Amino acid sequence: MKRKNQFESEPMEGLSQHAKGYEEIILANMRDLFSEIGDSADGADNKMEDIIDDELMDLLDNFVVKKEEWSSTHPCGLVCGSDKYYSDLVNMLKMAITMLKLPDTTPADLVHEVAMSVVAYLEDLVSGIGVWNVVRSLYKRKYGTQLPFYDCEHGDYYEDDINIEDIKFIVWQCFCRCGQPEMMTFSPYSKGVEVISELVFDILVDSFEKAPEATRVKDYISRVFRKGDYFEIRHLAEWIVFNNKLTSSPNMMESVREEAEGINGKHDLIDETKAEYFVRSLRAWTRYVGPMGCMASVYLAEMCRNCGNEALAAKLDGVECIGPVVLRLKEARKKEIILSDATGEEYMVSRNSFGPGARFDEVKGYMTSIVKFGDLWYQNGIAVGIEVDPFDTEKGYIDNEINNSKNKEWIRGVVESHGGRRIFYCRDMEEVSGILGVTNKSDTERSADNYVLMLSEEEGMSVLEDSAESFKDKKNPFYDKQRAKEEAFFVIFNGNVPSDISDIIVKENLLPDANISASQGKRFGKAIVQDNMGFLFDFFRTRNPRVRWMYDED
């Protein structure tokens, strides 16, 4: 089923032989390993456990994925009878990929992430869970084809079967996510992606008819969608963000714990036991998740549509998250409470979302996050009660809260005052301040040679340092073609361009020199970026918080 993709300008001989010969590679390496062990032993009767030391056993323990770890990839950690099959398959793939002898620069998490992700793809298809179908349908709705990069418009591509194009995309995603914190970029047509994908494809095709269904997962999701309860929906959102291997970035839970520790040390309103729950709840509705760089609610809404639940899909389409923010308690009713922000805007919040022990007669307001779901708002995570008027100027809340609430309105006014323009190129922060109509209060030395100011209707103000050379715009005096060839891709890669601004960049072709390194040549690398720029902006807004190296001395 090997097919030449639409961008390949050079043959990649030998790759399929590497992939299809993985059994021989594994056996050869195993023979070498046991030969070395035998040579080091004093006698042939020595037992294996006398040879393998504790350090090696620890390495093996860390390498092997147990069925409990596979269960943790399910919503609410659901345990299924199929878990052992899939965890065993992960271990088989990890061994097979490891035997390819990857280079020293390979991130330590890559082999694990690839194996977990492609097995999640298999489980998703076999069980009818539907996450992979959602990724494809969202991409097709926005960009017109099944997937970026690869040609899926042929008779051998089946949505309910294993496809080499799907696997290549998933493997490329793992390369990117595992290298992202260190600014490592990868071509979707690199030999590494090709070799690993063909190896995986052979194994998954052989496993497709044998793999059991994870029926508890599919049944649970269907039940949650039927009930439409906000709190159960949020559990699914957390699954999309933290646990589902097709949408979550590596190391997300570790970053949650780190952020929670930071909150413990800086904020006296949240104690140690609540901080991690608070951060996890906020991240459930984070703006950028998964390959499409959108909220978890977008993936869940599409899943609802695919199963015919249009009413819940509409609710999920309208999900909006505010906070953490300080709110005043105006009224406590039987089923709802009325909160207001510093500008006086009111929010009708489900009383039940505060938990059974909430005492509304003892507080004047809250520091919390709220989420809109349907006609109601819900308290999200934890609510820290404030016993005095939260907008008492002596407490210092009100100025900051008014500024937050007025931000979009202020940005809209700045854009209108500049004839609708949203992207500006500035020499220093004084020029930035002049465009915004504010006084530059910074006493620090200039940290960059130029600044790109972006005014987003969705996200407010964003500034890029030392990036103006990459923008080919008649209004930009800093454009430098040579530097743009070297640096323009990192405007996309750094993930800091708001979606409405990236739409302008793509539409007006403001980054015509953006390219990526590709073994097939410079034109090929440029075509990858230029033909898929909108998606790449979406993809890189989702970030992996850290990377670990395979051969790190630590």
Side-chain angles (χ1 to χ4, degrees):
M1 287 182 68
K2 187 175 187 299
R3 294 178 289 277
K4 185 178 179 69
N5 64 57
Q6 60 183 339
F7 286 108
E8 284 182 344
S9 58
E10 300 176 3
M12 298 185 181
E13 284 110 354
L15 295 179
S16 59
Q17 285 82 355
H18 280 296
K20 293 177 181 177
Y22 74 90
E23 299 97 336
E24 289 78 8
I25 296 172
I26 294 172
L27 289 174
N29 280 275
M30 293 297 285
R31 281 195 293 270
D32 290 344
L33 174 62
F34 289 121
S35 174
E36 291 175 10
I37 292 175
D39 291 342
S40 66
D42 293 330
D45 293 333
N46 283 25
K47 294 181 179 180
M48 185 64 71
E49 54 263 32
D50 295 329
I51 300 170
I52 301 177
D53 60 17
D54 291 341
E55 184 176 354
L56 180 55
M57 291 304 296
D58 288 341
L59 288 172
L60 289 173
D61 285 342
N62 291 330
F63 183 86
V64 172
V65 171
K66 298 179 174 63
K67 63 180 182 180
E68 291 79 11
E69 183 174 352
W70 185 254
S71 300
S72 71
T73 68
H74 297 153
C76 299
L78 284 172
V79 176
C80 301
S82 56
D83 290 345
K84 187 176 188 307
Y85 177 90
Y86 289 111
S87 60
D88 286 347
L89 184 57
V90 170
N91 292 323
M92 177 184 177
L93 282 165
K94 289 182 73 172
M95 178 64 75
I97 297 168
T98 300
M99 291 306 172
L100 292 174
K101 296 184 178 178
L102 301 171
D104 292 359
T105 53
T106 302
D109 291 338
L110 178 67
V111 173
H112 178 79
E113 288 300 320
V114 167
M116 293 286 282
S117 299
V118 296
V119 173
Y121 162 76
L122 176 67
E123 183 189 59
D124 185 88
L125 289 180
V126 168
S127 307
I129 295 170
V131 174
W132 181 247
N133 282 336
V134 159
V135 171
R136 286 186 298 201
S137 60
L138 287 174
Y139 184 87
K140 188 166 187 176
R141 182 182 304 149
K142 189 168 184 179
Y143 298 107
T145 59
Q146 294 276 13
L147 290 172
F149 314 129
Y150 311 112
D151 177 19
C152 303
E153 308 303 317
H154 54 77
D156 291 333
Y157 187 94
Y158 300 100
E159 292 188 2
D160 57 351
D161 205 343
I162 305 298
N163 297 289
I164 187 67
E165 295 86 1
D166 298 348
I167 293 171
K168 285 181 180 180
F169 177 83
I170 293 167
V171 171
W172 171 80
Q173 176 175 253
C174 292
F175 267 96
C176 292
R177 295 296 186 222
C178 290
Q180 197 173 26
E182 294 297 313
M183 299 295 282
M184 294 180 68
T185 61
F186 299 89
S187 165
Y189 305 100
S190 69
K191 289 188 177 182
V193 171
E194 185 87 9
V195 169
I196 293 175
S197 298
E198 293 206 8
L199 184 156
V200 167
F201 179 71
D202 288 343
I203 296 175
L204 292 197
V205 166
D206 185 58
S207 305
F208 186 67
E209 297 298 333
K210 309 170 189 175
E213 293 185 21
T215 53
R216 289 195 70 199
V217 175
K218 182 179 180 181
D219 291 346
Y220 172 79
I221 294 171
S222 297
R223 185 168 63 252
V224 170
F225 285 165
R226 283 197 305 272
K227 291 174 63 178
D229 177 74
Y230 166 75
F231 300 102
E232 291 183 331
I233 292 292
R234 194 182 73 188
H235 286 317
L236 286 184
E238 291 183 12
W239 169 59
I240 293 291
V241 174
F242 297 115
N243 304 110
N244 185 283
K245 301 308 295 183
L246 296 173
T247 53
S248 64
S249 291
N251 312 314
M252 287 301 293
M253 279 309 300
E254 289 95 326
S255 71
V256 166
R257 296 184 188 103
E258 289 179 359
E259 188 173 339
E261 290 173 2
I263 290 176
N264 291 339
K266 294 179 181 178
H267 213 300
D268 58 359
L269 292 179
I270 302 178
D271 63 35
E272 184 175 353
T273 61
K274 297 177 180 178
E276 185 173 317
Y277 176 68
F278 181 61
V279 175
R280 194 171 72 245
S281 300
L282 289 176
R283 293 273 191 96
W285 304 115
T286 190
R287 187 182 290 270
Y288 303 125
V289 178
M292 292 303 295
C294 56
M295 290 180 70
S297 56
V298 176
Y299 295 101
L300 295 175
E302 192 71 5
M303 290 175 72
C304 286
R305 288 191 186 90
N306 289 345
C307 65
N309 193 336
E310 293 290 343
L312 183 56
K315 281 188 175 183
L316 285 161
D317 283 336
V319 164
E320 181 183 349
C321 184
I322 295 177
V325 66
V326 173
L327 299 168
R328 173 185 281 152
L329 173 60
K330 292 195 68 176
E331 183 182 355
R333 301 174 182 173
K334 187 175 181 179
K335 292 185 178 181
E336 304 92 16
I337 68 169
I338 308 301
L339 301 178
S340 65
D341 63 20
T343 67
E345 184 170 352
E346 295 185 353
Y347 305 90
M348 184 180 296
V349 184
S350 166
R351 183 168 181 144
N352 289 340
S353 65
F354 283 81
R359 295 290 301 273
F360 302 108
D361 56 343
E362 297 177 353
V363 297
K364 301 289 187 181
Y366 294 96
M367 189 193 78
T368 188
S369 167
I370 56 175
V371 174
K372 187 179 183 182
F373 181 68
D375 295 329
L376 276 179
W377 292 80
Y378 291 79
Q379 189 276 127
N380 187 43
I382 61 173
V384 179
I386 301 172
E387 296 180 355
V388 298
D389 182 355
F391 300 138
D392 184 336
T393 54
E394 293 182 3
K395 299 297 179 183
Y397 294 131
I398 188 165
D399 291 339
N400 185 51
E401 295 305 321
I402 287 179
N403 287 339
N404 289 340
S405 299
K406 296 281 189 179
N407 188 42
K408 286 187 177 181
E409 182 180 335
W410 171 62
I411 291 292
R412 194 177 298 115
V414 173
V415 170
E416 289 177 358
S417 69
H418 288 85
R421 184 178 172 186
R422 292 188 174 274
I423 304 175
F424 301 84
Y425 312 96
C426 305
R427 187 172 305 279
D428 51 37
M429 288 305 296
E430 287 188 6
E431 285 190 26
V432 172
S433 299
I435 291 167
L436 298 175
V438 298
T439 303
N440 181 19
K441 299 179 181 180
S442 175
D443 295 326
T444 59
E445 295 182 4
R446 192 168 76 183
S447 60
D449 292 331
N450 57 68
Y451 301 84
V452 180
L453 171 63
M454 300 173 289
L455 301 179
S456 166
E457 187 172 355
E458 300 171 356
E459 300 176 47
M461 181 182 70
S462 182
V463 177
L464 301 179
E465 296 184 352
D466 290 324
S467 297
E469 294 90 345
S470 297
F471 288 77
K472 189 175 183 180
D473 187 337
K474 292 179 180 179
K475 301 182 180 71
N476 179 19
F478 304 101
Y479 172 68
D480 183 316
K481 188 175 182 64
Q482 187 56 43
R483 286 194 64 179
K485 289 179 180 179
E486 299 169 358
E487 301 174 7
F489 181 73
F490 293 98
V491 174
I492 302 168
F493 183 88
N494 68 27
N496 294 325
V497 178
S499 59
D500 55 339
I501 301 299
S502 67
D503 289 343
I504 296 172
I505 292 172
V506 173
K507 182 179 179 180
E508 298 184 7
N509 193 28
L510 298 183
L511 296 176
D513 306 294
N515 67 89
I516 194 170
S517 177
S519 61
Q520 296 88 347
K522 293 181 179 179
R523 289 185 179 180
F524 190 88
K526 184 175 180 180
I528 292 171
V529 178
Q530 296 299 317
D531 293 348
N532 299 279
M533 188 179 292
F535 166 74
L536 290 169
F537 268 118
D538 293 342
F539 180 85
F540 285 114
R541 289 192 189 96
T542 303
R543 302 197 65 79
N544 175 20
R546 73 162 66 81
V547 68
R548 289 187 286 266
W549 296 106
M550 185 175 287
Y551 298 99
D552 196 318
E553 292 181 359
D554 295 335

